[in-house]
Amino acid sequence: MSNENRITGPRRPFSRREVLGLGAAGLTAVMLPRFAFAQDKKVKVAAVFATPIEEPWDHQIHVALQKAEKELGIEYKWSEKVQTADFGRVMREYAQGGYDLVMGDAFAAERESRRTAKQFPKTAFLFGSGAGPAEPNFGVFDNWIHEPAYLSGMIAGKMSKSGVVGAVAAMGIPEVNRLVNAFFAGAKEANKDVKKKVTFIGSFFDPPKAKEAAIAQIDAGVDVIYAERFGVIEAAAEKKVYAISNMSDQSSLAPDTVITGPVWDMYPTVEQAVKLVKAGVYTAQDYGDFSRMAKGGSSLAPFHKFEDILPADVKEMVEKKKAEILEGNFRVDVDENTPVSD
């Protein structure tokens, strides 16, 4: 199946369901096998991505599936830049091609992906989605990385000399809003007087536009900026201000600029889904809980050279809050309202 040169459309702003804790034992207890799966057979997994693979959100899914190739022995193939009009067709081709699990990003193609999944009840589908799972075989997930976004905000609040922190993000939809709001909430805890600036570029992948928006914020006084989208770090490096990365450890893009940032690890989600498919017990579930810090699905990127630059009290503050999150003694609020600048 060829990878076609396509572009994505905007994602729909669906409201979120409460994330359920899905323990493997509990899942198995309530499921019955849908079909037998030979234990010596490789699980064939395909991914359908709406954006270029370089886009951070889809990239993290891709990286997790590549890891699963090595550690779980799956067979993996993908298609990127798939337009909404072609989404169902590409999913259908993978299902008809004998793939056991089809994953990807369905936000721009909710109806098409769900309609297609119903046509192949013996194929497992697991997609990033703003809505809930659909029986019998359409599971969902999302990047619930607001906890490390909050920790990143605490660092930004402490490291800002101007007292103004910023964020350049994709668009005002729930899964973006909750990260930006968590970042600003963390900054506010660390510095109650901090001011915020936020800009939405209206795209999930437009580095030049993101860079332009970042420069405008920096010129207006922002000296620590959350790079929710690609392009922002380049602006921060040129303007010599600090940046917080997003989705992956992006320190290598600008080692003197990127302090840290929330990291999304999709491997726990992929591992759980592959195990259930292998066992023949995969059913529709919400896998969002596997993106939480406590499940290993998200973390704070290493400080790298900032290990020696960040003040000791800042690092201690972050470690204390991280421990509280992991122990369940502190809950980062999920605020999906669209943030505005102060």
Side-chain angles (χ1 to χ4, degrees):
M1 188 176 303
S2 62
N3 294 343
E4 298 184 26
N5 185 22
R6 306 180 178 105
I7 58 174
T8 182
R11 298 180 179 184
R12 297 184 181 88
F14 289 90
S15 61
R16 284 297 186 285
R17 291 160 48 92
E18 287 296 318
V19 179
L20 303 176
L22 303 175
L27 280 171
T28 305
V30 299
M31 296 183 202
L32 293 176
R34 293 188 298 106
F35 57 93
F37 194 97
Q39 291 304 303
D40 59 347
K41 179 192 171 192
K42 273 192 172 185
V43 177
K44 295 179 65 176
V45 184
V48 186
F49 299 123
T51 67
I53 206 68
E54 296 89 352
E55 190 272 321
W57 206 93
D58 282 339
H59 180 72
Q60 291 308 101
I61 305 170
H62 179 63
V63 167
L65 287 167
Q66 287 181 313
K67 181 178 179 180
E69 275 190 295
K70 297 177 181 177
E71 300 195 4
L72 303 179
I74 68 168
E75 179 181 327
Y76 172 48
K77 191 172 183 180
W78 75 93
S79 296
E80 62 181 332
K81 296 180 281 189
V82 180
Q83 288 185 338
T84 300
D86 293 320
F87 223 83
R89 175 183 61 78
V90 176
M91 288 174 61
R92 203 158 42 245
E93 289 175 358
Y94 279 129
Q96 291 171 339
Y99 282 81
D100 307 294
L101 172 63
V102 182
M103 296 185 63
D105 170 7
F107 285 96
E110 292 278 2
R111 293 178 183 176
E112 295 80 0
S113 58
R114 290 167 185 270
R115 186 184 304 118
T116 303
K118 285 184 178 181
Q119 299 169 13
F120 300 94
K122 290 189 176 182
T123 301
F125 293 89
L126 180 57
F127 277 80
S129 171
E135 296 294 347
N137 60 336
F138 191 87
V140 298
F141 62 86
D142 207 344
N143 65 329
W144 291 87
I145 61 173
H146 54 294
E147 294 162 328
Y150 185 94
L151 298 177
S152 299
M154 294 180 73
I155 295 171
K158 282 293 188 182
M159 296 301 288
S160 174
K161 290 184 172 62
S162 68
V164 185
V165 299
V168 175
M171 54 193 73
I173 57 176
E175 63 268 24
V176 172
N177 291 343
R178 66 169 174 258
L179 302 187
V180 175
N181 284 325
F183 171 77
F184 286 138
K188 198 75 172 177
E189 177 178 337
N191 179 1
K192 63 181 179 61
D193 297 319
V194 76
K195 302 296 182 183
K196 67 179 185 292
K197 290 189 180 296
V198 59
T199 305
F200 295 105
I201 64 171
S203 170
F204 284 97
F205 194 73
D206 191 340
K209 191 171 184 179
K211 180 181 179 180
E212 181 182 359
I215 289 173
Q217 285 195 7
I218 295 166
D219 287 345
V222 166
D223 64 351
V224 185
I225 190 164
Y226 180 22
E228 200 275 332
R229 290 294 108 184
F230 265 15
V232 176
I233 290 173
E234 184 179 355
E238 290 181 7
K239 290 286 189 174
K240 300 188 184 310
V241 302
Y242 292 137
I244 300 295
S245 58
N246 193 45
M247 302 287 188
S248 61
D249 180 2
Q250 296 166 6
S251 173
S252 61
L253 298 178
D256 296 324
T257 298
V258 179
I259 302 175
T260 183
V263 172
W264 185 28
D265 187 349
M266 265 290 289
Y267 188 73
T269 303
V270 169
E271 183 180 35
Q272 177 70 0
V274 169
K275 284 181 178 179
L276 294 178
V277 169
K278 186 81 170 176
V281 294
Y282 183 91
T283 61
Q285 300 288 335
D286 187 332
Y287 287 73
D289 197 42
F290 288 92
S291 289
R292 302 274 185 164
M293 287 183 70
K295 290 288 183 71
S298 58
S299 63
L300 193 65
F303 294 140
H304 297 291
K305 71 179 301 178
F306 282 88
E307 192 69 53
D308 298 324
I309 297 173
L310 290 175
D313 64 321
V314 173
K315 290 189 286 187
E316 289 171 7
M317 172 191 69
V318 171
E319 281 303 310
K320 181 180 178 181
K321 187 62 65 176
K322 176 183 174 181
E324 291 177 2
I325 292 172
L326 292 175
E327 292 164 3
N329 295 321
F330 180 79
R331 183 182 179 88
V332 178
D333 288 339
V334 176
D335 182 357
E336 296 182 339
N337 294 305
T338 302
V340 296
S341 300
D342 291 331

